[in-house]
Amino acid sequence: MPDLTKAAAYQAFWEQFGIPAYEENAVPDGANAPGFPRITYEFGTDAFSDYGISLTASLWYRDSSWVAINAKAEEISVVIGRGGVQFPCAGGSCWITRGSPWALSMGDENDDLIKRKTFNVVVRWNTPT
């Protein structure tokens, strides 16, 4: 398998949860707008450093209950784990850990069926560029 770019590796990380994932500035709109559930995420990069960068991701469901979104949020939490998760990319690796607060529940003022979980993550790019 070829070494993925940072952007491709980060996209693949969020796609592993079995629902469509979009960089938050590239979510299709209009007739191509995605349905629910979906994940949107912030993307940012850095090179090898002692510090990670704080980013967010959001899990979106449209449902009358919080049961399904809470279960998916728990699945994401388990994958990241207490010590984080690391995977190869761009001649190095990416290490994702939980930020604080880890996850926040939100709604939508225009649609009371929309449920949203916002995750805070810390991403450390251990790559040469």
Side-chain angles (χ1 to χ4, degrees):
M1 181 170 151
D3 196 21
L4 296 176
T5 65
K6 293 176 194 179
Y10 200 62
Q11 172 78 26
F13 172 79
W14 290 110
E15 285 178 336
Q16 76 178 300
F17 300 105
I19 58 177
Y22 304 90
E23 198 280 332
E24 67 180 12
N25 296 303
V27 179
D29 60 5
N32 296 320
F36 297 93
R38 67 177 178 252
I39 294 172
T40 57
Y41 62 87
E42 246 181 333
F43 178 69
T45 65
D46 197 0
F48 197 92
S49 75
D50 292 333
Y51 306 100
I53 56 175
S54 296
L55 300 172
T56 62
S58 291
L59 179 60
W60 302 82
Y61 274 64
R62 189 167 192 276
D63 197 331
S64 60
S65 167
W66 284 87
V67 172
I69 194 170
N70 284 337
K72 185 60 75 171
E74 183 65 22
E75 179 185 337
I76 293 168
S77 183
V78 167
V79 167
I80 293 176
R82 290 187 52 105
V85 63
Q86 193 167 358
F87 49 88
C89 69
S93 66
C94 176
W95 180 24
I96 299 175
T97 57
R98 296 181 200 157
S100 182
W102 159 237
L104 298 170
S105 297
M106 306 171 94
D108 184 297
E109 63 186 43
N110 298 317
D111 185 341
D112 63 356
L113 292 178
I114 293 179
K115 311 293 188 253
R116 178 181 180 189
K117 288 281 193 179
T118 299
F119 303 103
N120 292 297
V121 295
V122 177
V123 179
R124 187 169 169 181
W125 298 103
N126 298 315
T127 58
T129 59

